Amino acid sequence: MEELALEAAIALLERGCGARISVCDLGGLSALCGALSLAHRIHAAPFCSMAKATVLGLDRCMRCKSVANRRAAAGVPFAGQCAFGLWEAACPVMVDGTLLGVVYAGNLRPEHLRPRAGTWSDAMRIAWAALPSAAEHGAAAADAAAMAAELLAIRAAQQAREPVSPPSMHPAVRLLLQYANHGYAQPLTLTRLARLVHMDAKYLGRLFRAQVGESFSARLNAIRLAHARELLMRSNDTVLEIALACGFANVSYFNRLYRAAYGTRPNDGRGARG
């Protein structure tokens, strides 16, 4: 089965169970996961994206995922709640007793859990209320995770017997680029993402620079600046609002980078609105 067919199969399983499915590569699924969309490699539903928009939220999510990945080493499917209370099923991908990765099916809302007052924004509460019910979709999600894990295990075993050309870009580098392009507003750092792919941050940084031609932070800032420039041209938001929306925590730092990249100040040409 080709990688494109794998993406389509996972999307079909998602529609059938009502849950969000993602595949966490633990080193044995790189050849298969390299072409999967970002949505099928991380939990990218609206609630999760908002929950991970802060440093604290992103760290909580990644610590929780790291614990779940270690638990998967037992090779037995399990289910539970993530750091933010979402229900999800986890199914290890095993070939000949070796753990290659984990399939997660979740982003489901437990019926008994209610957000505490003052802890979430109104947007997060709305996104939470729109999530599918774990009581209604949990069993189907667990089955979907098991089917996706079996599909991955079969394909991984087949690839192990076939001559495979080395990919042009390391899957971890490709994943970092996907994060930068789609999650630029989040507080991303190479150290946090290195934990996600279970690699040493310094080694991953050297690998990224060798294959992309610049550091991860330089590429991330370039992407953020490009989005900020577009917002400056078409919106009336202040410079501070735009800087924060594009992932810059410090407006002075944003101003310096913007001027270095484009030779002008952010407000030049749009009036004194920021």
Side-chain angles (χ1 to χ4, degrees):
M1 179 176 290
E2 300 297 328
E3 289 173 347
L4 182 60
L6 177 63
E7 170 84 10
I10 291 177
L12 183 62
L13 287 171
E14 276 188 329
R15 289 195 293 272
C17 72
R20 179 74 58 139
I21 295 176
S22 62
V23 181
C24 181
D25 174 29
L26 296 181
L29 300 173
S30 298
L32 289 172
C33 292
L36 287 179
S37 66
L38 185 64
H40 287 148
R41 300 194 67 177
I42 64 169
H43 284 318
F47 176 84
C48 290
S49 296
M50 284 185 280
K52 292 185 288 189
T54 65
V55 172
L56 179 62
L58 189 62
D59 281 343
R60 282 184 68 191
C61 176
M62 290 190 173
R63 284 198 301 269
C64 179
K65 189 64 67 181
S66 181
V67 170
N69 287 342
R70 289 197 298 271
R71 183 179 175 186
V76 180
F78 61 92
Q81 291 179 206
C82 76
F84 294 97
L86 295 180
W87 185 96
E88 62 182 5
C91 192
V93 181
M94 309 287 292
V95 174
D96 297 330
T98 300
L99 178 67
L100 305 183
V102 188
V103 174
Y104 291 95
N107 289 90
L108 302 179
R109 172 176 48 83
E111 296 295 339
H112 66 277
L113 187 64
R114 295 291 183 273
R116 288 183 297 174
T119 58
W120 290 352
S121 66
D122 290 341
M124 289 178 70
R125 291 174 182 277
I126 292 171
W128 173 270
L131 290 171
S133 163
E136 295 179 10
H137 298 275
D143 289 343
M147 284 187 281
E150 182 178 2
L151 179 63
L152 285 160
I154 292 172
R155 184 59 184 141
Q158 289 174 341
Q159 286 197 334
R161 298 190 295 267
E162 300 170 355
V164 179
S165 300
S168 58
M169 180 176 287
H170 192 284
V173 174
R174 187 181 294 113
L175 181 62
L176 260 62
L177 286 172
Q178 289 179 321
Y179 260 101
N181 284 316
H182 300 284
Y184 60 88
Q186 297 178 2
L188 302 178
T189 66
L190 188 62
T191 300
R192 292 191 182 95
L193 294 176
R195 291 204 305 268
L196 187 64
V197 296
H198 304 276
M199 294 176 68
D200 177 77
K202 291 183 178 179
Y203 171 75
L204 182 57
R206 291 194 297 269
L207 183 63
F208 188 95
R209 183 184 289 275
Q211 296 196 348
V212 179
E214 60 185 341
S215 69
F216 175 73
S217 60
R219 174 57 65 92
L220 178 60
N221 281 335
I223 292 169
R224 286 171 168 170
L225 287 170
H227 283 281
R229 192 182 195 189
E230 181 180 352
L231 287 174
L232 286 164
M233 290 188 294
R234 64 179 176 83
S235 81
N236 290 319
D237 293 341
T238 66
V239 170
L240 175 60
E241 290 170 337
I242 289 172
L244 294 175
C246 292
F248 292 101
N250 185 299
V251 70
S252 297
Y253 179 60
F254 165 68
N255 287 335
R256 289 198 302 272
L257 288 181
Y258 191 94
R259 188 160 192 169
Y262 302 118
T264 63
R265 294 172 300 179
N267 260 332
D268 289 350
R270 70 189 304 250
R273 292 194 293 263

